[in-house]
Amino acid sequence: MNTNKYNILPTQDGFYGNYGGQYLPEELKAEFQKIADTFLYYKDDKDFNIELDDLLKNYAGRPSPVYFAKNLSQKYGVSIYLKREDLNHTGAHKINHSLGEALLAKKMGKTKLIAETGAGQHGVAIATAAAIMGLDCDIYMGEIDIKKEKPNVDRMKILGANIISVTSGTKTLKEAVDEAFIAYSKEYK
């Protein structure tokens, strides 16, 4: 029985139809293959999916409610419904994949999540997932973004994440992504 209700399968090169792909430094390809192999192993695992579904429902608040926007509907003469992803724990859809990634990392025996963020919502979600899973968390963020997004930085710190300020280049997300990949390659050599 296929317990994976999401049924998403990329090609060997990481493509989902015309989208996706893997563009990785050579030194990270083997590690990312381990991640892909672990995903393929667990994606149909009943216990893994039960645990993930429980986290999504009881921790993140999935499925997100659909709200009938009465005033907007009346104004435009149509029925308008809004999917309320903002009501998920952490205030965004990003918690959905973050919980799955953290659970998969734990199954792989990892003890730390390494991520990057720009505006901070992805960082908050990853920090939240790391906290619930008992994992350490390093989040790379550009120095400029840290200043602009102080409330999200504070949330990440409260959740126990270590925020690493990136001061190279534009001091924004682009360099934070690069630094996170560099840190990951050093962590899992």
Side-chain angles (χ1 to χ4, degrees):
M1 179 173 102
N2 183 352
T3 58
N4 177 15
K5 64 184 170 198
Y6 306 107
N7 211 12
I8 299 169
L9 294 173
T11 65
Q12 184 64 31
D13 296 326
F15 283 88
Y16 297 84
N18 294 327
Y19 305 99
Q22 288 186 347
Y23 305 97
L24 297 168
E26 197 60 42
E27 59 270 12
L28 286 177
K29 286 186 178 181
E31 182 62 28
F32 274 67
Q33 188 59 52
K34 288 179 196 171
I35 295 168
D37 292 344
T38 305
F39 166 75
L40 291 172
Y41 178 83
Y42 281 108
K43 74 177 184 61
D44 294 321
D45 181 81
K46 182 181 175 190
D47 292 334
F48 181 89
N49 281 288
I50 287 171
E51 187 173 0
L52 179 57
D53 286 346
D54 180 67
L55 285 166
L56 290 170
K57 178 181 178 187
N58 296 310
Y59 188 71
R62 300 283 302 160
S64 302
V66 176
Y67 172 76
F68 176 65
K70 179 181 164 189
N71 294 339
L72 280 175
S73 296
Q74 287 175 347
K75 181 176 181 175
Y76 294 105
V78 296
S79 295
I80 298 175
Y81 291 84
L82 303 174
K83 181 97 166 121
R84 298 297 310 273
E85 292 293 308
D86 59 310
L87 296 178
N88 288 345
H89 184 36
T90 75
H93 64 280
K94 292 167 174 44
I95 191 66
N96 301 332
H97 70 82
S98 296
L99 287 170
E101 291 168 354
L103 182 57
L104 194 65
K106 191 152 185 147
K107 295 289 185 185
M108 292 179 72
K110 305 295 184 193
T111 59
K112 181 194 293 186
L113 299 180
I114 299 172
E116 85 305 317
T117 193
Q121 283 190 305
H122 177 240
V124 171
I126 286 289
T128 301
I132 190 103
M133 291 292 161
L135 300 169
D136 291 335
C137 184
D138 286 349
I139 298 176
Y140 289 79
M141 191 171 188
E143 181 180 56
I144 290 171
D145 294 331
I146 288 173
K147 290 175 185 171
K148 288 187 340 187
E149 303 297 340
K150 186 176 181 333
N152 283 335
V153 171
D154 291 343
R155 285 183 194 94
M156 289 182 267
K157 288 179 178 177
I158 288 168
L159 289 160
N162 179 31
I163 310 303
I164 296 136
S165 178
V166 177
T167 58
S168 61
T170 62
K171 303 176 186 177
T172 59
L173 179 61
K174 178 187 171 296
E175 285 76 23
V177 170
D178 292 344
E179 291 298 320
F181 272 120
I182 290 167
Y184 191 90
S185 66
K186 289 178 181 175
E187 184 84 20
Y188 296 109
K189 274 190 174 177

